[in-house]
Amino acid sequence: MSDTSSSAAPTERPDSYRSRAGDFFFVGAAGMIMLLGAVMLSNLRVAAAVALGLTYFAGLFLRYYSLREAVPVAPGVTFNEEQLQKFERLRAVLNALPQPVMLLDARDHVQLSNPACARMFGKDVAHSHISTVIRAPAALDALPAARSGGTAREVEFVLPGPRERSCLFYAAPLPGGEPANRGRLLVMVRDRTAQKKLEKMRTDFIANASHELRTPLASLLGFIETIENHAKDDPAAQKRFLGIMRAQTERMLRLVRDLISLSAIELSEAEMPAERVDLTETARAVCDMLLPIAGEGVLHVEADGPVTILADRDEVIQVIQNLADNAVKYGGEFPSVTIGVGTGAPPTMPGALRSGDTLHAVAVRLGVPEAQVAWVRVADQGEGIPRTDLPRLTERFYRIDAEKSRKKGGTGLGLAIVKHIVQRHRGGIQIESVEGQGSAFICFFPPAALAQK
């Protein structure tokens, strides 16, 4: 905790003010004179009177020396040992707070601050004027309002920098019972960037989900009205409309299924799976499952042998299936999809644009050598992905071509599900693409050897 009286560490005792020492000497001198007078009046010996005087003076000196060791709060105000211990406990509590907390004097200079201030603002804020720490008019206007109104004020402001942060500024006046507290304000700043981001994601999610469900529902209602009126005596039109209605219903079912799946994954995201799964065998199983849809010769598995990982097998199947299904759908007129499995560094596309996690980042996160990290790579030879779309592909409901995706039965949640499954496994996902040549999706998984750590 920083303060204007000392920059020492919490356990050190700074030099004290000696403004009260004169009082002790004055009282001591007066007391000694009175003592000597009383001794002489009682006919005691002079030597005894001097001895008593020296004893009294020694006591005063020792009292002054103990005062010199006390910690000052302000000129002429010191702490005794009990008060010092209480103060240091309060200081430890303040330093432990994760949010920046400052005490401002009547002129808005920082008298006290905790280490969180330096972490947020990138500098020691002690002795600084608050306007040099927080350059936000809304926050600065809250200070005089808190003083004049005698109540706390809260405002939101944006903290500029390499990464803009949305913050909540709280200013409250100290109780005015003591003269030293008049005009002082307690200021706290809370970073709400992550919370704001979550709120925006929630709002966007509800809006997108409502839109995705509203469109097929409106279509169904329109076809029902048509069948009831204009096409009630037209069997051919009824058959065609019922086929469209069936397709729209299936689309809604897929969307609801994906929403439920995504919610279930998010609920269990804090629990890392511990099942031993053969990634190579799982990739071959997915190829067999997609054979009726993709056709012969479209899907190929490339692996040197078994690769055992710590995973949830059903979720790994969902990852590979979602990626392979997308590769078949968007792999061109005659798709060719390769599912590679291995450990260490995966193959790369020359000249590709990349987005997402790197092998090195995943290895550091797992605490294992890069050579032990397992991966599955699904590559196609389609149109590739534009540079501007690459970073956003794993967002919910994000589509490069929304109309094309709907026609192919996509819900816009497939890659979001893949990302959350991989995150639950403490792995990572990397996307690489060359426009006109194709794209590849690489998912990293923890090796089975991690279970022994």
Side-chain angles (χ1 to χ4, degrees), residues 203-437:
T203 303
D204 292 345
F205 176 75
I206 293 172
N208 288 325
S210 301
H211 174 75
E212 293 295 330
L213 287 171
R214 185 170 59 247
T215 302
L217 283 172
S219 177
L220 284 175
L221 183 60
F223 284 121
I224 289 171
E225 291 175 350
T226 303
I227 291 174
E228 287 178 340
N229 296 296
H230 304 292
K232 63 181 179 180
D233 298 322
D234 189 345
Q238 288 181 5
K239 185 177 180 179
R240 183 166 61 87
F241 292 156
L242 287 171
I244 298 173
M245 291 167 67
R246 181 184 181 88
Q248 295 286 9
T249 304
E250 289 173 348
R251 178 186 163 198
M252 283 192 293
L253 285 173
R254 285 193 299 272
L255 178 59
V256 171
R257 184 187 64 238
D258 284 351
L259 287 171
I260 294 172
S261 177
L262 191 56
S263 297
I265 294 164
E266 288 178 331
L267 285 174
S268 60
E269 201 163 353
E271 303 171 8
M272 182 174 175
E275 180 185 350
R276 297 172 71 91
V277 177
D278 185 345
L279 193 56
T280 303
E281 181 275 329
T282 306
R284 296 190 192 281
V286 171
C287 280
D288 293 340
M289 284 188 284
L290 293 178
L291 185 61
I293 301 172
E296 290 285 349
V298 174
L299 295 169
H300 314 274
V301 176
E302 293 182 354
D304 294 332
V307 175
T308 308
I309 61 174
L310 287 180
D312 181 314
R313 187 174 186 275
D314 290 338
E315 290 187 355
V316 175
I317 287 175
Q318 193 170 10
V319 165
I320 301 174
Q321 186 171 329
N322 283 6
L323 295 178
D325 187 51
N326 281 349
V328 171
K329 286 177 182 177
Y330 304 104
E333 187 177 357
F334 304 102
S336 177
V337 180
T338 302
I339 304 176
V341 178
T343 57
T348 58
M349 301 176 66
L353 298 172
R354 292 179 179 83
S355 177
D357 300 298
T358 63
L359 171 63
H360 177 72
V362 174
V364 170
R365 185 159 58 239
L366 294 173
V368 300
E370 293 182 11
Q372 291 185 13
V373 178
W375 51 264
V376 58
R377 180 176 184 269
V378 180
D380 63 58
Q381 299 177 5
E383 300 175 0
I385 302 164
R387 179 193 295 268
T388 54
D389 295 307
L390 205 58
R392 301 190 60 190
L393 280 181
T394 56
E395 293 180 14
R396 301 178 190 192
F397 297 111
Y398 187 81
R399 300 180 177 94
I400 298 174
D401 186 333
E403 188 61 31
K404 185 177 180 180
S405 174
R406 290 193 185 97
K407 286 181 180 179
K408 292 181 178 291
T411 63
L413 293 173
L415 291 178
I417 291 172
V418 169
K419 181 184 74 172
H420 281 278
I421 289 176
V422 170
Q423 285 178 346
R424 185 191 171 212
H425 287 73
R426 307 296 185 268
I429 180 171
Q430 185 181 79
I431 308 170
E432 57 181 14
S433 173
V434 178
E435 288 194 64
Q437 296 183 30

